[in-house]
Amino acid sequence: MSSVAAAVPPPEDRNLPPDPSPQEALVQPDSSAIHDRARDAQRRFERVRVQHLPLSAEPGSSPCDELIGRMCYWHGDNHHEPDPEAVEITVAREELLDTLAHAARRLPGDGWIAGQRVFYLVEAGRAHEALEVARGCAAPEPDLCHLLRGLALHRLERFEDAERSFRLALAAMDPRDAGEWVSLALLLERTDESGLDRLGSQAREAATRRLWALADPYYLVRGNDRWTEHMSRHAVSRIQRRARNPHGLPWTSGLDELAIRYGQETSWTRYVPTSGSSMRPRVTGRHPPHSERYMPPDGALTGVASLPPGMVWGDPVERPRSAYAPSYAPELGTMYTVLARFRRGDSLLVVAPFRFEPRDTSGAVPGAGSPEAGSGHRRDVQAGLFLVPWAETTGEVRPPTQRMLSDRGTLSLVVPLGSYVYSVEALDRRAGHGARFRGDLALGPHPDDIPDLSDFLIIEASDRMPESVDDVLEHALPSLALGGLQELAVAWEAYGLGTGESRIAYSLGVEPLDRSFFRRLGEFLRLVGRGDPLTLEWIEPSPGQTGAHFRSVDLDFRNLEPGIYELRLELRVDDWAPVIRRRRVQIVG
């Protein structure tokens, strides 16, 4: 969010007390009077802020989505960009900061003054100066200076340094206060909240670490900025608790909960009652635009070994329990990806074709004629595939990764067999766009002499017959929404085919899944014919050797009507049970 820069009046126009002379500095200042003047200046600024807020329609025209303490909360338009800040507010904040700086020189150990200086410097976009103030903090509270440094470092996107400062602050806090800060009570959905209560202390601590490891917005960015954001929200709440706010209300539990769940308000509007009304102006605050739920979905926290089967997360949620907008990439775009697993002995090759599409605010159809849709590689986009072993999601995440500078392509990693959380990510930090797709992925050991299939990739058909997975990586499609005019191919590997006289039979079928009710009724009454699935079957001789055996088959989708279809690949070897792999695809016009 941007603010209006304004010319700042010279100091003599601000009615500031002069700096103390060297002789006056030796005299013990009247600390209460200086502190009270600083508090009066802070209250005066917030009144000026409210007076110059943009006007809005009468609040309360629709029921609250949530009633939090005394606050009525609406989820509303998450992408509303705030109006520019009034020049009068910018100038008044500079006056306040000068007043606070003068008071800090007289009372260097006043923690309230130090907190207000850091808070308003950060609000003004001057986080570097806020860090200098925090470094010079001499407050007697053992944790406050660490908190102020952590807040400034977080706003500077130095998340690893911010994490260290916040951990020092937690260690210096009263244990009861520290327990409230690390509590997940305000962030959890219903299933995880009740499940966490049933865990013992050690299991609860491990589950908490797992949640924060999974909540990290982008593993491409060093440090866990979702955790440091949570700590920063608590720090701001502590600073605000003893100061005036735009709502003119005491810092009740409602304001505290709103700050912890949705962050600091970044813009406000005011409603002025009609003439003669005894009501004072009512202020409506907005949290950062583009905020989304970056916490893992409900049920992931209390999973013992993995996410619920098949769980993925990556799409925005209409009414999230908590929300966050990373400062380096607040706009959440769309990540298209289709993962495939291939055995490599005791290891696992994971292939992830991807395409990153930033959120389109121009009204153009993504992927169809927009400039970025056909722009090819973009040097300012960084993408990565991360595989985090579940055993490591209870500690600091340092996952293996592959990175590339492109908004489309194919990422791949070889890791030991096991259970993982995967994350396919892309960031365009220059434009403030990002996207990610996460889910659960597992593959365990399998006997070499028992038939098995890899996942299959859908690839663009090429003139040259591919002979291995490596040959098709650059042609793999990142989406299962397929154009009806495409000539495509399906590629996979088979294992455990044996070296003897095995009879190896394949079938590859395409069957529609979204036949209408009347179509199904007509088929049942035999008024219309039932369309048999399109199936290709063939038999192969034994390859005569163990290991992975690559196959690909061209498919012609040009005659299929738009709709949802299931691709079904089946392998039969002698009397072994059949091995089946499926993918659901959509044929689009």
Side-chain angles (χ1 to χ4, degrees):
M1 167 179 183
S2 60
S3 60
V4 176
V8 181
E12 57 269 19
D13 292 341
R14 299 184 198 148
N15 299 317
L16 294 177
D19 289 336
S21 65
Q23 292 78 15
E24 291 173 327
L26 297 177
V27 179
Q28 182 68 26
D30 184 347
S31 58
S32 296
I34 296 173
H35 180 90
D36 289 344
R37 283 197 294 270
R39 292 179 70 91
D40 288 341
Q42 191 270 335
R43 288 191 288 265
R44 186 165 56 251
F45 165 73
E46 291 297 347
R47 286 194 295 268
V48 170
R49 188 206 295 269
V50 171
Q51 291 168 3
H52 292 91
L53 291 176
L55 297 176
S56 66
E58 182 177 0
S61 57
S62 61
C64 307
D65 290 335
E66 288 188 73
L67 190 60
I68 302 176
R70 296 174 60 185
M71 307 300 293
C72 182
Y73 186 77
W74 297 271
H75 287 273
D77 180 10
N78 187 32
H79 302 101
H80 171 83
E81 294 291 346
D83 296 326
E85 183 177 80
V87 173
E88 292 85 352
I89 298 176
T90 303
V91 172
R93 185 187 294 108
E94 293 301 315
E95 294 176 349
L96 169 63
L97 285 169
D98 282 342
T99 300
L100 293 172
H102 177 85
R105 288 192 291 270
R106 303 291 299 273
L107 297 177
D110 191 304
W112 185 91
I113 294 174
Q116 298 304 314
R117 292 185 71 195
V118 170
F119 175 82
Y120 284 109
L121 283 168
V122 165
E123 185 180 78
R126 296 158 58 183
H128 284 94
E129 295 176 56
L131 180 58
E132 292 303 313
V133 170
R135 284 173 172 166
C137 170
E141 299 96 327
D143 58 338
L144 180 60
C145 297
H146 294 305
L147 292 177
L148 298 182
R149 283 192 289 271
L151 175 59
L153 288 165
H154 174 75
R155 293 295 186 263
L156 289 169
E157 299 181 2
R158 293 171 53 181
F159 303 121
E160 290 181 301
D161 293 334
E163 187 169 343
R164 283 189 283 269
S165 291
F166 283 129
R167 294 202 183 279
L168 289 172
L170 290 173
M173 272 184 201
D174 181 279
R176 290 172 297 182
D177 293 336
E180 292 181 5
W181 281 49
V182 300
S183 171
L184 301 174
L186 296 179
L187 307 180
L188 294 181
E189 307 285 351
R190 183 174 302 173
T191 302
D192 277 336
E193 184 178 15
S194 60
L196 194 66
D197 291 338
R198 294 193 297 268
L199 298 178
S201 58
Q202 290 186 339
R204 186 183 299 113
E205 183 179 349
T208 300
R209 291 197 302 268
R210 174 180 292 120
L211 177 132
W212 288 118
L214 297 178
D216 191 348
Y218 293 96
Y219 297 140
L220 282 166
V221 176
R222 295 186 64 83
N224 189 334
D225 53 290
R226 184 60 186 88
W227 187 82
T228 57
E229 169 70 14
H230 184 67
M231 293 295 109
S232 295
R233 292 176 180 183
H234 274 288
V236 168
S237 291
R238 177 165 166 176
I239 292 170
Q240 291 279 71
R241 198 166 291 133
R242 294 184 292 161
R244 186 181 179 90
N245 57 73
H247 297 284
L249 298 173
W251 194 258
T252 62
S253 59
L255 286 171
D256 193 65
E257 180 175 341
L258 279 172
I260 302 305
R261 289 173 58 184
Y262 298 107
Q264 180 184 346
E265 294 169 320
T266 54
S267 65
W268 298 264
T269 57
R270 65 188 175 112
Y271 164 71
V272 180
T274 57
S275 177
S277 171
S278 60
M279 292 177 57
R280 64 182 180 183
R282 297 179 62 181
V283 173
T284 300
R286 287 186 176 270
H287 292 91
H290 314 294
S291 295
E292 305 286 356
R293 182 187 73 177
Y294 284 90
M295 307 300 281
D298 192 23
L301 175 60
T302 50
V304 176
S306 65
L307 296 171
M311 177 173 282
V312 295
W313 71 91
D315 295 330
V317 177
E318 183 178 354
R319 293 186 178 184
R321 174 72 176 170
S322 65
Y324 171 52
S327 57
Y328 51 85
E331 289 265 15
L332 185 63
T334 302
M335 173 63 73
Y336 297 95
T337 187
V338 181
L339 266 71
R341 303 162 299 168
F342 299 88
R343 294 187 178 277
R344 293 293 180 265
D346 293 335
S347 299
L348 168 66
L349 167 65
V350 179
V351 175
F354 77 95
R355 185 176 80 249
F356 163 49
E357 288 188 357
R359 188 187 300 276
D360 187 8
T361 57
S362 66
V365 178
S370 60
E372 290 189 343
S375 62
H377 294 292
R378 291 171 42 186
R379 296 180 183 272
D380 55 349
V381 174
Q382 186 180 33
L385 168 63
F386 297 82
L387 292 170
V388 185
W390 260 100
E392 295 182 11
T393 58
T394 57
E396 185 179 16
V397 175
R398 285 285 179 266
T401 176
Q402 179 185 348
R403 302 183 183 186
M404 62 192 306
L405 297 177
S406 175
D407 59 0
R408 66 193 65 201
T410 301
L411 298 156
S412 62
L413 274 179
V414 177
V415 294
L417 295 173
S419 178
Y420 295 87
V421 171
Y422 70 83
S423 187
V424 184
E425 303 176 357
L427 280 176
D428 184 348
R429 299 185 73 156
R430 185 180 304 173
H433 294 155
R436 65 177 200 177
F437 195 87
R438 288 186 183 171
D440 192 26
L441 177 149
L443 194 66
H446 188 83
D448 293 337
D449 57 349
I450 296 180
D452 196 16
L453 285 172
S454 71
D455 300 318
F456 57 82
L457 290 168
I458 301 177
I459 62 175
E460 296 174 333
S462 61
D463 296 334
R464 187 174 67 88
M465 179 66 69
E467 298 180 357
S468 69
V469 172
D470 292 340
D471 293 340
V472 302
L473 292 184
E474 63 182 78
H475 304 291
L477 298 182
S479 172
L480 296 178
L482 311 175
L485 300 180
Q486 289 181 279
E487 294 186 26
L488 304 174
V490 176
W492 70 90
E493 286 183 343
Y495 317 97
L497 300 185
T499 59
E501 299 299 325
S502 301
R503 181 178 182 276
I504 301 169
Y506 284 103
S507 69
L508 179 62
V510 182
E511 181 176 6
L513 296 180
D514 59 348
R515 304 190 313 278
S516 70
F517 168 77
F518 293 104
R519 175 75 185 186
R520 295 195 302 271
L521 179 61
E523 292 171 357
F524 176 76
L525 298 175
R526 299 186 178 181
L527 299 177
V528 296
R530 177 182 176 89
D532 293 330
L534 305 175
T535 304
L536 176 65
E537 297 180 344
W538 70 97
I539 297 176
E540 296 183 1
S542 171
Q545 60 183 0
T546 60
H549 301 278
F550 177 82
R551 292 289 182 271
S552 69
V553 174
D554 291 345
L555 294 177
D556 190 343
F557 288 89
R558 288 177 293 181
N559 294 325
L560 293 180
E561 295 182 356
I564 306 296
Y565 294 80
E566 181 181 79
L567 282 177
R568 183 179 186 274
L569 175 66
E570 180 177 324
L571 167 66
R572 290 181 177 271
V573 181
D574 293 335
D575 296 328
W576 291 105
V579 184
I580 300 173
R581 295 288 180 265
R582 295 181 173 91
R583 284 212 193 275
R584 185 168 294 189
V585 300
Q586 180 181 11
I587 304 298
V588 297

